[in-house]
Amino acid sequence: IAEKNNDPYHLWFITDYLFMNYYYLNDHVNCMKYLDKNRTYCKALNRKSNTKILQLREALFLLMNGQTSQIEEKLLDSYSYFVTTKDKWSEQASLYLSIYYLHIDLPGLAAKYLKIFLEGEGFLPIDVLKTRLVIDFALSNPELKQYKKSIHESFEKFFIYLNSGWTSPEYKIKMKEQAETLYDIKMTSFGGLQFASRGEPVPDSKWRKKKGKSVLANMMLNPGVQYNKDKLINIFYPDIKPETADENFRQAIFNIRSVFKNPYLNILLYESKMLQLNPDCYYKSDAMEFDQNYKTARSTEKDASMKIKACRNAINIYKGEFLEGFYELWCEDIRNEYSNKFISMYELMLNLLNAEGSYDEIIEYSENLLKYDSLNETAFTCMVEAFINLNKSKSARQTYKRMLNIYEKELGERPNNKTLDHMNSLLKVSSSS
């Protein structure tokens, strides 16, 4: 429309906006495309303020590509202009200056301009994707500690924004991929144990010994908790001499810190024999996601559709046993707990689907549950009921016989009498009908 109307102001505005969107999506080609278009429309406008904004974008693009030459003059010139005209763009210029000075290792100047930026509106939620180095610097700098709360609020708002209803499904997918880079540590614990650091998988070669991974997995179950060093040593080195255990633990902690090394934020904090994951960092794990969905599914305040969705999510998250391949005592109880929760999510969903009359889904999920728990009476019962409701009495009787055969083969006994009585009554009704 702007092109049709030969409207240079809106053409400048739109191309600037598109440049920034592609900047957040890390699309260098389209950034260059719209930056070039913006120069053309900026020239047609012949407005000083637009020229100064263009200078900021050009500097940002150079920084995006790892170039720092000829940037400082552009940034300082734009910053000076916007300060003189009392324009809010001076805040954006101060942010770009802080990014630049961090890139050339001048932390004092970076702190100076970052403070100016934070005294204004501060980080937008979307800013957290592309200014993480600056954010780390701000969170670690004692002179900027009063801005920690507002910085963390920007992260929280970003995740709310990420799930907002008005953004397109395609955009959500792209942004969720970008969001993975926000997590200092991401743990995948079902079906094995893997870690990622800001979107990058941590190869096994980074771990000197398996014990460091195990210690971190334990702490990641409750990343906000402080852990007593001596108690952790007793958990992970129960049968080793104290001096040897202490040295092994020290090496494990050093290994964790080296794997997740950050120029500004130490991933592990240790003081007065208390160890904790740095609260200024961000953590994600499949175990935490599973627990959140489990809690939603069990909530008395959620409706059936929300509970079914939460059950599905929990089932999809569970890719296998917790810390599969790890045989330490501390994780055995947790492994059994998650296994039981997983089975209970299936059973709850089958009952919820039954109430909604979703019989085909009941059969599908019952079969899946039996792959994990071949003796699960709830799965067999729900499947028999579903076949009867679908007028498939032959399939219902076959499922009943299958259950009897499995119980006889694996246990040498019959299922619970209550279950048998219920199934017999169902099958009699089915036969008579």
Side-chain angles (χ1 to χ4, degrees), residues 116-140:
I116 293 169
F117 171 72
L118 292 170
E119 283 176 347
E121 293 182 3
F123 293 104
L124 294 171
I126 195 72
D127 284 335
V128 301
L129 285 176
K130 301 295 287 187
T131 56
R132 192 60 190 278
L133 185 70
V134 181
I135 287 173
D136 291 347
F137 173 74
L139 292 172
S140 66

Side-chain angles (χ1 to χ4, degrees), residues 209-345:
K209 293 183 180 179
K210 206 174 184 180
K211 195 66 73 175
K213 287 181 75 174
S214 185
V215 171
L216 182 57
N218 182 283
M219 297 182 72
M220 278 289 289
L221 292 175
N222 296 287
V225 172
Q226 288 187 321
Y227 294 85
N228 181 277
K229 174 193 169 184
D230 293 335
K231 287 184 178 179
L232 284 174
I233 289 175
N234 288 336
I235 291 171
F236 292 98
Y237 305 96
D239 303 319
I240 300 178
K241 293 179 180 180
E243 59 274 14
T244 305
D246 191 79
E247 175 60 21
N248 288 347
F249 184 74
R250 187 189 66 78
Q251 290 180 8
I253 297 306
F254 177 80
N255 191 191
I256 295 170
R257 282 177 168 164
S258 63
V259 169
F260 299 95
K261 194 172 182 179
N262 182 295
Y264 300 113
L265 294 173
N266 193 340
I267 201 71
L268 285 177
L269 304 181
Y270 179 68
E271 187 177 356
S272 301
K273 281 199 169 185
M274 300 302 292
L275 192 72
Q276 71 174 118
L277 291 166
N278 192 330
D280 286 330
C281 296
Y282 289 84
Y283 309 97
K284 180 181 180 180
S285 76
D286 53 356
M288 284 191 282
E289 288 186 90
F290 183 95
D291 288 335
Q292 288 165 0
N293 282 285
Y294 181 85
K295 184 178 179 181
T296 299
R298 291 291 180 187
S299 172
T300 57
E301 300 175 0
K302 306 296 182 182
D303 61 29
S305 63
M306 291 182 70
K307 289 184 176 184
I308 290 172
K309 182 180 178 181
C311 287
R312 283 199 180 100
N313 289 341
I315 288 167
N316 290 334
I317 289 167
Y318 192 92
K319 304 297 184 184
E321 288 188 335
F322 175 77
L323 263 59
E324 194 172 285
F326 285 73
Y327 304 104
E328 298 166 347
L329 289 175
W330 74 268
C331 62
E332 289 296 336
D333 289 341
I334 298 172
R335 182 176 294 145
N336 292 332
E337 179 186 346
Y338 275 118
S339 178
N340 291 333
K341 284 181 176 179
F342 171 66
I343 298 298
S344 75
M345 286 291 92

Side-chain angles (χ1 to χ4, degrees), residues 341-396:
K341 284 181 176 179
F342 171 66
I343 298 298
S344 75
M345 286 291 92
Y346 260 116
E347 292 175 341
L348 175 59
M349 187 167 71
L350 289 174
N351 289 324
L352 291 167
L353 290 172
N354 190 46
E356 292 195 345
S358 301
Y359 302 122
D360 287 325
E361 280 192 278
I362 288 171
I363 294 166
E364 178 186 350
Y365 277 101
S366 294
E367 288 287 9
N368 288 338
L369 173 54
L370 289 170
K371 292 175 184 177
Y372 291 96
D373 182 7
S374 62
L375 301 171
N376 192 281
E377 293 184 7
T378 299
F380 281 115
T381 303
C382 287
M383 208 162 17
V384 168
E385 290 175 345
F387 279 129
I388 289 172
N389 281 302
L390 291 170
N391 295 316
K392 295 181 178 180
S393 56
K394 182 179 179 181
S395 295

Side-chain angles (χ1 to χ4, degrees), residues 1-44:
I1 293 169
E3 285 179 336
K4 184 178 179 180
N5 295 332
N6 192 24
D7 180 354
Y9 171 75
H10 282 103
L11 286 167
W12 169 85
F13 177 83
I14 293 163
T15 52
D16 179 68
Y17 202 77
L18 283 165
F19 166 80
M20 288 306 298
N21 273 273
Y22 283 114
Y23 168 74
Y24 289 122
L25 290 170
N26 215 30
D27 186 334
H28 292 228
V29 174
N30 276 308
C31 275
M32 173 65 83
K33 173 184 173 181
Y34 286 104
L35 189 61
D36 285 341
K37 285 179 177 289
N38 192 262
R39 288 192 189 102
T40 301
Y41 302 129
C42 190
K43 187 176 180 180

